[in-house]
Amino acid sequence: MKESPSPIRRPGIRAAMFVDFDNVYTGLLALDPLAAKRFAEDPKHWADALSAGGSAENSRRFLIRNCYLNPVVYSKYRTYWTRAGFRVIDCPSLTQRGKSSTDINLVLDAMDALSGSAGIDEFFIASADADFTSLIQRFRAADKMTTVIAAGAVAFAYREMADSVVESHDFVAILNGTTAEPIHAVASVQQPREQAAAKAKPKTKSKTASAAVREVCDFVRAAPGPVVGAMVAHRALTADPSLKTDWGGYGKFGTWVAQIGNGVEYSPSRGGWVWDAQRFSSDDLPADADVEPGIEERVTRVTDVPALSEAQFRQLFQALAARLRELPVNRNELSRLVRDDCVTAGQPVSRGAVNFVIQGLGYVNYQLNENATAEGLAAAWTENVEELCRVALMEFDDAETAALRRWASGGYLEA
């Protein structure tokens, strides 16, 4: 008797997507209303961006696409999601405080998918709600890849438990179409490290990349001491602007500069430093005297607040206020301009740090317009930092609180 053929497994990574609509939408509204609108009305766009990964083996097949929303508030968006192939689950408010049933419905469906026969390889949770930390832990215990799509502040433990996080500014860039290679940047984040490294190495051998390497080597060897990473990154991008896409396949500046070799050393401590190993070592990194010992290190380690000095924060607020008084620019362009202004002023900060600050200002509903002042930006940002510390259950005495406010505000707040 002839045996029936076994089922053919299609190429590609088998994935499942669970979207906490209310959480993502409200988070995006605080950051970029246009991006929020595109998220709600064109889910196919960003879902397809996450699905694409180049070859058939690296592309994703979302076998499950679930969206959980409050039908009383967001029913008008249902059609867009069903048309994009999502299963929409109504999660109305069940309490007087407006708490919906999204969390429990999402967790139950995700656990069913984990134990089901579909053989899901990757689980995507679109929510910044740290209540899902335990769910991510279950995925990891089952040896499944996990990605969090965030549109809001992400608790440190939640971030660390996930294999990768699509940050708010990256998600906004995908929604607005302002990133050069959104599909590659997001799709490659889950590839095994060996694959990523194999694909990255050929890129660094291009002529333009070599020009950036030469510029960095010359700059570092001529420097009188270790150089702030943001300043080195600025010089590399000047020599090769194409690196801003994904740093030659390495994803971020730190990874790229660390593999240069030729006596160039890198440390991610205190925002990142680069130096000539023939003349200096990590012992030559400058000590930070802008805040009382321990405050900056404790806060940045637990909350992901950028490890900038008081002077760097002050310059960032001044540059941001100055740019906001000019013609309006989109957020992606704004962060680049502010980064460049800080480098020019001799207080270099990374673009990621600028984006993190802008994102934090959105969380406290500070309006980024021509009326913004450096003092107002500093006060609003400090409020966000204090809230991040509160969520992280960090406690300070009066002296530490004063030091925290002075550091985070760039010296604008003295108590």
Side-chain angles (χ1 to χ4, degrees):
M1 183 176 180
K2 187 176 181 180
E3 296 182 359
S4 59
S6 59
I8 298 177
R9 183 181 174 108
R10 297 181 183 179
I13 301 169
R14 300 160 75 86
M17 169 76 73
F18 301 91
V19 181
D20 182 347
F21 182 95
D22 302 30
N23 181 278
V24 177
Y25 183 71
T26 54
L28 288 172
L29 277 178
L31 295 172
D32 188 323
L34 180 58
K37 178 179 174 63
R38 288 173 172 165
F39 163 78
E41 297 183 358
D42 190 11
K44 185 178 187 301
H45 166 71
W46 59 266
D48 286 350
L50 292 174
S51 297
S55 66
E57 291 75 16
N58 291 328
S59 64
R60 291 183 180 82
R61 295 181 58 233
F62 280 104
L63 305 186
I64 298 173
R65 294 188 183 191
N66 286 1
C67 173
Y68 305 82
L69 59 75
N70 187 333
V72 177
V73 183
Y74 300 116
S75 61
K76 63 181 179 180
Y77 298 118
R78 171 188 290 275
T79 303
Y80 299 110
W81 289 75
T82 55
R83 188 170 60 191
F86 280 80
R87 171 178 169 241
V88 178
I89 297 90
D90 287 339
C91 300
S93 298
L94 302 178
T95 68
Q96 291 182 340
R97 293 186 177 183
K99 177 68 174 178
S100 75
S101 57
T102 290
D103 290 10
I104 187 63
N105 281 311
L106 190 155
V107 169
L108 288 173
D109 288 343
M111 291 304 297
D112 284 344
L114 179 62
S115 60
S117 59
I120 301 298
D121 303 309
E122 288 185 318
F123 286 84
F124 283 70
I125 304 296
S127 177
D129 190 344
D131 287 349
F132 294 122
T133 302
S134 296
L135 180 62
I136 298 293
Q137 290 175 328
R138 296 295 293 270
F139 293 152
R140 287 182 65 89
D143 195 25
K144 304 298 183 181
M145 297 295 291
T146 57
T147 294
V148 168
I149 300 176
V154 182
F156 189 76
Y158 186 37
R159 175 192 300 276
E160 289 301 300
M161 187 54 61
D163 289 298
S164 59
V165 178
V166 180
E167 301 286 358
S168 300
H169 56 271
D170 290 327
F171 195 40
V172 167
I174 293 174
L175 292 166
N176 289 339
T178 55
T179 184
E181 290 184 298
I183 295 177
H184 170 75
V186 176
S188 65
V189 73
Q190 295 289 358
Q191 293 178 3
R193 292 181 180 179
E194 294 80 2
Q195 293 182 25
K199 292 185 177 183
K201 289 181 180 178
K203 293 187 178 182
T204 61
K205 296 180 180 179
S206 67
K207 292 183 178 180
T208 52
S210 297
V213 169
R214 287 196 301 272
E215 175 66 23
V216 167
C217 291
D218 292 344
F219 180 54
V220 171
R221 288 167 183 163
V227 186
V228 175
M231 187 172 288
V232 178
H234 182 69
R235 297 294 289 262
L237 291 173
T238 300
D240 179 15
S242 70
L243 284 175
K244 67 182 180 181
T245 301
D246 65 350
W247 285 101
Y250 287 94
K252 55 185 179 180
F253 167 73
T255 307
W256 177 81
V257 75
Q259 57 80 41
I260 286 179
N262 298 319
V264 174
E265 294 288 339
Y266 169 78
S267 170
S269 66
R270 291 193 290 268
W273 290 85
V274 185
W275 63 90
D276 177 11
Q278 297 297 321
R279 298 179 295 141
F280 307 105
S281 71
S282 58
D283 294 335
D284 297 300
L285 295 182
D288 187 0
D290 287 323
V291 299
E292 280 73 2
I295 291 297
E296 177 188 5
E297 182 181 357
R298 287 168 59 192
V299 172
T300 56
R301 184 173 64 244
V302 174
T303 67
D304 280 348
V305 169
L308 304 182
S309 68
E310 180 180 316
Q312 286 174 311
F313 272 127
R314 190 179 187 89
Q315 182 59 51
L316 193 159
F317 299 137
Q318 292 174 350
L320 182 56
R323 285 296 178 181
L324 289 171
R325 287 194 294 270
E326 299 177 358
L327 294 175
V329 295
N330 63 50
R331 174 176 164 172
N332 199 45
E333 183 70 6
L334 178 63
S335 64
R336 183 187 66 80
L337 293 172
V338 171
R339 186 272 315 275
D340 291 347
D341 290 344
C342 290
V343 171
T344 301
Q347 293 292 344
V349 301
S350 70
R351 193 170 181 180
V354 178
N355 271 321
F356 195 96
V357 171
I358 293 176
Q359 176 177 297
L361 292 168
Y363 296 150
V364 294
N365 297 317
Y366 188 88
Q367 298 301 309
L368 298 179
N369 55 38
E370 67 279 4
N371 297 320
T373 64
E375 294 84 351
L377 291 165
W381 164 249
T382 302
E383 178 185 345
N384 176 67
V385 173
E386 291 178 320
E387 175 62 14
L388 290 175
C389 292
R390 186 193 67 77
V391 172
L393 302 180
M394 300 186 71
E395 297 182 355
F396 308 108
D397 59 28
D398 291 344
E400 291 172 328
T401 298
L404 170 66
R405 290 172 62 80
R406 183 166 57 253
W407 162 63
S409 70
Y412 281 111
L413 301 180
E414 290 298 330

Coordinates of all heavy atoms in Angstrom, one line a residue, residues 44-73:
K44 N -1.7 46.6 7.3 CA -1.0 45.7 6.3 C 0.4 46.2 6.0 O 1.3 45.4 5.8 CB -1.9 45.7 5.1 CG -1.3 44.7 4.0 CD -2.2 44.6 2.8 CE -1.8 43.5 1.8 NZ -0.4 43.7 1.4
H45 N 0.5 47.6 6.0 CA 1.8 48.2 5.6 C 2.9 47.7 6.6 O 3.9 47.1 6.1 CB 1.7 49.7 5.6 CG 3.1 50.4 5.6 ND1 3.9 50.4 4.5 CD2 3.7 51.1 6.6 CE1 5.0 51.1 4.8 NE2 4.9 51.5 6.0
W46 N 2.7 47.9 7.9 CA 3.8 47.5 8.8 C 3.9 46.0 9.0 O 5.0 45.5 9.3 CB 3.7 48.3 10.1 CG 2.4 48.1 10.9 CD1 1.3 48.9 10.8 CD2 2.2 47.1 11.8 NE1 0.4 48.4 11.7 CE2 0.9 47.3 12.3 CE3 2.9 46.0 12.3 CZ2 0.3 46.5 13.3 CZ3 2.3 45.2 13.3 CH2 1.0 45.4 13.8
A47 N 2.8 45.3 8.9 CA 2.8 43.9 9.1 C 3.6 43.2 7.9 O 4.4 42.3 8.2 CB 1.4 43.3 9.1
D48 N 3.4 43.8 6.7 CA 4.2 43.2 5.6 C 5.7 43.6 5.8 O 6.5 42.8 5.3 CB 3.6 43.9 4.3 CG 2.3 43.3 3.9 OD1 1.9 42.3 4.5 OD2 1.7 43.8 2.9
A49 N 6.0 44.7 6.3 CA 7.4 45.1 6.6 C 8.0 44.1 7.5 O 9.2 43.7 7.3 CB 7.5 46.5 7.1
L50 N 7.3 43.7 8.5 CA 7.8 42.7 9.5 C 7.9 41.3 8.8 O 8.8 40.5 9.2 CB 7.0 42.6 10.7 CG 7.0 43.8 11.6 CD1 5.9 43.7 12.7 CD2 8.3 44.0 12.2
S51 N 7.0 41.0 7.9 CA 7.1 39.7 7.2 C 8.2 39.5 6.3 O 8.8 38.4 6.2 CB 5.8 39.5 6.4 OG 4.6 39.5 7.3
A52 N 8.6 40.6 5.6 CA 9.7 40.5 4.6 C 11.0 40.3 5.3 O 11.3 40.9 6.3 CB 9.7 41.7 3.7
G53 N 11.8 39.5 4.7 CA 13.2 39.3 5.2 C 14.2 38.9 4.2 O 15.3 38.4 4.5
G54 N 13.9 39.2 2.9 CA 14.8 38.9 1.9 C 14.5 37.5 1.3 O 13.6 37.3 0.5
S55 N 15.3 36.5 1.6 CA 15.1 35.2 1.0 C 13.9 34.5 1.6 O 13.4 34.9 2.7 CB 16.4 34.3 1.3 OG 16.5 34.1 2.6
A56 N 13.5 33.4 1.0 CA 12.3 32.7 1.5 C 12.6 32.1 2.8 O 11.7 32.0 3.7 CB 12.0 31.6 0.5
E57 N 13.8 31.7 3.1 CA 14.1 31.1 4.4 C 14.1 32.1 5.5 O 13.8 31.8 6.7 CB 15.5 30.5 4.3 CG 15.7 29.2 3.5 CD 15.7 29.6 2.0 OE1 15.9 30.7 1.7 OE2 15.5 28.7 1.2
N58 N 14.4 33.4 5.2 CA 14.4 34.4 6.3 C 13.1 35.2 6.4 O 13.0 35.9 7.3 CB 15.6 35.4 6.0 CG 16.9 34.7 6.2 OD1 17.0 33.8 7.0 ND2 17.9 35.1 5.4
S59 N 12.2 35.0 5.5 CA 10.9 35.8 5.5 C 10.0 35.1 6.6 O 10.2 34.0 7.0 CB 10.2 35.7 4.2 OG 9.9 34.4 3.8
R60 N 9.1 36.0 7.1 CA 8.2 35.5 8.1 C 6.8 35.1 7.5 O 6.3 35.9 6.7 CB 8.0 36.5 9.2 CG 9.2 36.7 10.1 CD 8.9 37.7 11.2 NE 10.1 38.0 12.0 CZ 11.1 38.8 11.7 NH1 11.1 39.5 10.6 NH2 12.1 38.9 12.5
R61 N 6.2 34.1 8.1 CA 4.8 33.8 7.7 C 4.1 33.9 9.0 O 4.2 33.1 9.9 CB 4.7 32.4 7.2 CG 5.4 32.2 5.8 CD 5.2 30.8 5.3 NE 3.8 30.5 5.2 CZ 3.2 29.4 5.7 NH1 3.9 28.5 6.4 NH2 1.9 29.2 5.6
F62 N 3.3 35.0 9.1 CA 2.5 35.2 10.3 C 1.2 34.3 10.3 O 0.2 34.6 9.7 CB 2.1 36.6 10.5 CG 3.1 37.5 11.0 CD1 3.9 38.3 10.2 CD2 3.5 37.4 12.4 CE1 4.9 39.1 10.7 CE2 4.5 38.2 12.9 CZ 5.2 39.1 12.1
L63 N 1.3 33.1 10.9 CA 0.2 32.1 10.9 C -0.9 32.6 11.8 O -2.1 32.2 11.6 CB 0.7 30.8 11.4 CG 1.9 30.2 10.6 CD1 2.2 28.8 11.2 CD2 1.7 30.1 9.1
I64 N -0.5 33.5 12.7 CA -1.5 34.0 13.6 C -1.4 35.6 13.6 O -0.3 36.1 13.9 CB -1.4 33.5 15.1 CG1 -1.6 32.0 15.1 CG2 -2.4 34.2 16.0 CD1 -1.3 31.3 16.4
R65 N -2.4 36.3 13.4 CA -2.4 37.7 13.5 C -3.7 38.1 14.3 O -4.8 38.1 13.8 CB -2.5 38.4 12.1 CG -1.3 38.2 11.2 CD -1.4 39.0 10.0 NE -0.3 38.8 9.0 CZ -0.1 39.6 8.0 NH1 -0.9 40.7 7.7 NH2 0.9 39.4 7.2
N66 N -3.5 38.5 15.5 CA -4.6 38.8 16.4 C -4.5 40.3 16.9 O -3.4 40.7 17.2 CB -4.6 37.9 17.7 CG -5.1 36.5 17.4 OD1 -5.4 36.2 16.2 ND2 -5.2 35.7 18.4
C67 N -5.6 41.0 16.9 CA -5.7 42.3 17.3 C -6.7 42.4 18.4 O -7.9 42.0 18.2 CB -6.0 43.3 16.2 SG -6.3 45.0 16.7
Y68 N -6.3 43.0 19.6 CA -7.2 43.1 20.7 C -7.6 44.6 20.9 O -6.6 45.4 21.2 CB -6.6 42.5 22.0 CG -6.2 41.0 21.7 CD1 -4.9 40.8 21.1 CD2 -7.0 40.0 22.1 CE1 -4.6 39.4 20.9 CE2 -6.6 38.7 21.9 CZ -5.4 38.4 21.3 OH -5.0 37.1 21.1
L69 N -8.9 44.9 20.8 CA -9.2 46.3 21.0 C -10.5 46.5 21.7 O -11.3 45.6 21.8 CB -9.3 47.1 19.6 CG -10.2 46.6 18.5 CD1 -11.6 47.0 18.8 CD2 -9.8 47.2 17.2
N70 N -10.7 47.7 22.3 CA -11.9 48.1 23.0 C -12.9 48.5 21.9 O -12.8 49.6 21.3 CB -11.6 49.2 24.0 CG -12.8 49.5 24.8 OD1 -14.0 49.3 24.4 ND2 -12.6 50.0 26.0
P71 N -14.0 47.8 21.7 CA -14.9 48.1 20.6 C -15.7 49.4 20.9 O -16.2 50.0 20.0 CB -15.9 46.9 20.6 CG -15.8 46.3 22.0 CD -14.4 46.6 22.4
V72 N -15.9 49.7 22.1 CA -16.6 51.0 22.5 C -15.9 52.2 22.0 O -16.5 53.2 21.5 CB -16.8 51.0 24.0 CG1 -17.6 52.3 24.4 CG2 -17.6 49.8 24.5
V73 N -14.5 52.2 22.0 CA -13.7 53.3 21.7 C -13.2 53.2 20.3 O -13.2 54.2 19.5 CB -12.6 53.5 22.7 CG1 -11.8 54.7 22.4 CG2 -13.1 53.5 24.1

